[in-house]
Amino acid sequence: MKPNLTLVEAIMRITCGLTGLAWSIAKMSRRCWSPIGIMIAMMSAMKVAEGTTRFCPLKALYEEEK
C-alpha cells in the first residue's frame, strides 16, 4: 500500500474520526444499541484507520480512473 494522503489530510481524518468516536460513545452511553451511534462509530473508526495508514481506498480508486 502506497500512501495516497498528504500529512494535512491524514491529520484532518484522525481529528474528525476521533471527534465522531467521542460523539458516538456519548450517544451510546444513553442508548446502548442506538443504530445511528453504532454506524457513526464504525465510520469514524474507518477514518482514524485511514489517517494513521495514510491510505484511502476510495481515493485510490478515483485516482486510478483518471
Side-chain angles (χ1 to χ4, degrees):
M1 266 187 330
K2 187 177 176 183
N4 62 356
L5 295 175
T6 64
L7 185 61
V8 174
E9 288 174 329
I11 291 171
M12 287 299 295
R13 286 174 193 249
I14 292 170
T15 303
C16 292
L18 290 176
T19 303
L21 276 173
W23 180 85
S24 64
I25 289 170
K27 180 86 169 164
M28 288 190 297
S29 70
R30 296 210 180 237
R31 293 173 41 188
C32 312
W33 296 106
S34 170
I36 190 75
I38 294 171
M39 187 181 348
I40 296 293
M42 289 191 302
M43 290 189 309
S44 298
M46 183 179 68
K47 290 299 163 192
V48 171
E50 287 175 1
T52 55
T53 59
R54 291 184 61 189
F55 180 76
C56 178
L58 291 176
K59 189 172 180 179
L61 283 174
Y62 178 71
E63 289 175 351
E64 187 176 292
E65 285 185 5
K66 279 183 161 180

